[in-house]
């Protein structure tokens, strides 16, 4: 397992050093549209987003940061490419972190100006390298692989270090799962900065979640990753739910209601699928360590779901509800849903 990274404070949210893995997302709104951006951030926070990033493309976006910050509770990161002036304006308007690549915001004087501003405001910087931003020299030297990606990121990190900046978070994203895993694994061996993990350009919902789960799951299970973003070409709220589910699946988030359900087969003669889906929706935002089982048949169900807090298994005519392996109720299948939902509500309100 990877050793601890150093701790970086992003507007009061701690990244690294064994702190819990924080979930990030990025607004899809025009940042200067303060109402739309705040509305989206509040939805994202409600879904479990810990840190939000916005793009700063011009002066109006940078200026909007102050008004947005007044109306949100989670830390805000300004994402800037190419123009150092927008980085400075974003910092002066109160962003909690900037994402820049020093190599693409101008020459030494510009980098120094941003670095001085970062230090004066005591905020961290994320160096965000990805396969599309690797400098030509590294591509020529190593090819398009984890070595060029990591060297590119560390090159940018060294520029910041030379300016006396210590609070740095790094990402090395690729759209390939294997390259993402290889790059972060290599990077984690080369430095102890907190790592922002993610797959870039992961695609639309279905494939993006599969790619992100594969890559981020592999990394998180090895102890790599201090903050994560799941990229999905869709409503960013889906990114937050996906990130949260990845953390739950790898066992890093335990305070939730785990709904386990069998896939059903020819032995299932009632609507266990519908009930499992309904319960999953009902409990998705509840923070309570509970395990609920919905099993398709009474033959195998109770045995397979023995360790759950409450479970149901059905047949054509009746369902049984069990707790800790003991049957507590036997009811006609037609009334099963209502009776089981009542039992779950009791546990949730306990
Ligand atoms: S629990 Fe019963 S219905 Fe579900 S998959 Fe197993 S045998 Fe089939």
């Amino acid at each position: 397992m990877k050793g601890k990274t150093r701790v970086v404070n992003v507007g009061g949210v701690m990244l690294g050093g064994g702190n819990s893995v924080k979930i990030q997302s990025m607004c899809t709104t025009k940042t200067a549209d303060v109402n739309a951006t705040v509305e989206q951030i509040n939805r994202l926070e409600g879904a479990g987003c810990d840190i939000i990033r916005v793009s700063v493309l011009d002066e109006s976006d940078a200026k909007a940061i102050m008004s947005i910050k007044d109306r949100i509770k989670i830390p805000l990161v300004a994402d800037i490419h190419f123009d150092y002036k927008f980085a400075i304006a974003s910092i002066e308007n109160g962003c909690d972190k900037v994402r820049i690549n020093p190599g693409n915001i101008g020459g030494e004087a510009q980098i120094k100006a941003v670095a001085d501003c970062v230090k004066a405001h005591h905020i961290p910087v994320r160096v965000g390298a990805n396969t599309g931003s690797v400098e030509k020299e590294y591509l020529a030297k190593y090819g398009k692989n984890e070595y060029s990606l990591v060297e590119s990121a560390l090159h940018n990190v060294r520029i910041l270090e030379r300016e006396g900046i210590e609070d740095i978070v790094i990402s090395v994203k690729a759209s390939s799962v294997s390259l993402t895993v290889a790059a972060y694994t290599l990077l984690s061996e080369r430095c102890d900065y907190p790592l922002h993990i993610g797959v870039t350009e992961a695609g639309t919902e279905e494939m993006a979640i599969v790619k992100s789960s594969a890559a981020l799951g592999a990394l998180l299970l090895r102890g790599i990753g201090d903050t994560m973003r799941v990229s999905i070409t869709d409503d960013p709220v889906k990114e937050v739910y996906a990130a949260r589910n990845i953390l739950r699946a790898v066992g890093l988030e335990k305070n939730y209601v785990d709904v386990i359900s069998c896939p059903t087969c020819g032995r299932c003669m009632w609507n266990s699928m519908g009930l499992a889906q309904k319960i999953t929706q009902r409990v998705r935002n509840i923070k309570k360590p509970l395990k609920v089982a919905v099993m398709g048949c009474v033959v195998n169900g109770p045995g397979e779901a023995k360790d759950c807090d409450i479970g149901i298994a059905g047949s054509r005519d009746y369902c049984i509800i069990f707790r800790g392996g003991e049957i507590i109720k036997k009811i006609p299948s037609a009334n099963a849903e209502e009776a089981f939902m009542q039992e779950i509500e009791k546990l949730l309100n306990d």
Side-chain angles (χ1 to χ4, degrees):
M1 290 289 270
K2 169 82 178 68
K4 274 188 189 169
T5 47
R6 63 177 86 173
V7 179
V8 167
N9 181 346
V10 182
V13 171
M14 301 299 172
L15 300 186
N19 283 291
S20 61
V21 177
K22 302 301 185 299
I23 297 173
Q24 302 206 24
S25 185
M26 188 165 185
C27 285
T28 54
T29 51
K30 169 74 178 155
T31 304
D33 184 344
V34 174
N35 285 339
T37 305
V38 167
E39 187 273 334
Q40 192 171 62
I41 295 172
N42 288 336
R43 278 197 306 123
L44 290 163
E45 189 192 350
C49 185
D50 298 304
I51 297 171
I52 187 66
R53 181 161 47 117
V54 297
S55 323
V56 178
L57 305 182
D58 54 37
E59 197 64 39
S60 68
D61 288 340
K63 278 205 180 117
I65 287 175
M66 193 177 277
S67 319
I68 295 168
K69 281 279 299 170
D70 278 347
R71 291 169 56 187
I72 64 169
K73 293 188 222 58
I74 54 177
L76 182 142
V77 183
D79 190 293
I80 298 109
H81 285 285
F82 308 118
D83 196 326
Y84 81 105
K85 288 197 294 298
F86 301 146
I88 290 175
S90 299
I91 298 166
E92 287 174 345
N93 278 286
C95 71
D96 299 291
K97 177 176 156 207
V98 278
R99 181 267 167 119
I100 50 168
N101 286 349
N104 76 18
I105 59 164
E108 257 177 52
Q110 286 87 347
I111 292 169
K112 187 166 182 348
V114 174
D116 287 347
C117 192
V118 162
K119 284 186 286 185
H121 289 81
H122 306 289
I123 63 160
V125 179
R126 170 158 70 96
V127 166
N130 58 50
T131 40
S133 72
V134 173
E135 290 79 6
K136 283 194 194 89
E137 58 190 283
Y138 295 113
L139 279 178
K141 189 168 174 191
Y142 299 103
K144 192 177 171 183
N145 56 27
E146 64 269 35
Y147 298 101
S148 55
L149 198 47
V150 168
E151 281 307 327
S152 165
L154 292 177
H155 161 75
N156 281 282
V157 166
R158 283 191 288 268
I159 296 174
L160 294 175
E161 287 173 338
R162 277 200 293 274
E163 297 297 335
I165 292 176
E166 293 172 353
D167 290 336
I168 299 171
V169 179
I170 315 178
S171 63
V172 281
K173 299 184 186 180
S175 65
S176 136
V177 170
S178 55
L179 181 51
T180 301
V181 172
Y184 279 104
T185 304
L186 179 63
L187 182 59
S188 73
E189 288 159 3
R190 299 277 308 272
C191 71
D192 68 350
Y193 287 113
L195 302 186
H196 166 123
I197 57 173
V199 175
T200 190
E201 293 128 24
T204 52
E205 187 174 7
E206 203 171 296
M207 205 54 195
I209 292 177
V210 172
K211 282 187 183 177
S212 300
S213 305
L216 306 192
L219 290 166
L220 291 168
L221 285 169
R222 291 179 202 171
I224 300 170
D226 302 284
T227 178
M228 65 196 283
R229 187 214 175 172
V230 172
S231 299
I232 306 179
T233 312
D234 210 315
D235 183 340
V237 166
K238 292 184 179 179
E239 300 185 343
V240 176
Y241 280 124
R244 207 173 70 176
N245 287 339
I246 293 171
L247 289 176
R248 290 172 174 182
V250 297
L252 289 175
E253 159 67 54
K254 294 189 168 55
N255 199 22
Y256 74 104
V257 183
D258 191 11
V259 180
I260 60 165
S261 55
C262 80
T264 82
C265 69
R267 289 193 188 87
C268 179
M269 295 179 192
W270 65 295
N271 187 14
S272 76
M273 226 180 254
L275 181 57
Q277 282 159 358
K278 194 166 184 177
I279 295 167
T280 304
Q281 285 307 315
R282 166 70 185 92
V283 301
R284 73 195 301 207
N285 290 324
I286 292 175
K287 293 191 167 156
K288 194 161 191 173
L290 280 179
K291 202 173 201 179
V292 177
V294 181
M295 307 301 281
C297 75
V298 291
V299 184
N300 292 335
E304 287 179 16
K306 246 200 311 269
D307 66 337
C308 64
D309 295 292
I310 186 136
I312 187 168
S315 68
R316 192 195 321 268
D317 303 320
Y318 68 91
C319 284
I320 52 171
I321 296 178
F322 43 94
R323 285 191 72 163
E326 299 289 319
I327 296 175
I328 57 163
K329 264 186 191 162
K330 184 173 172 180
I331 31 174
S333 294
N335 306 331
E337 180 174 314
E338 202 188 329
F340 193 53
M341 291 306 279
Q342 276 174 8
E343 291 296 328
I344 292 175
E345 293 300 334
K346 272 193 228 162
L347 280 180
L348 295 179
N349 295 321
D350 239 6

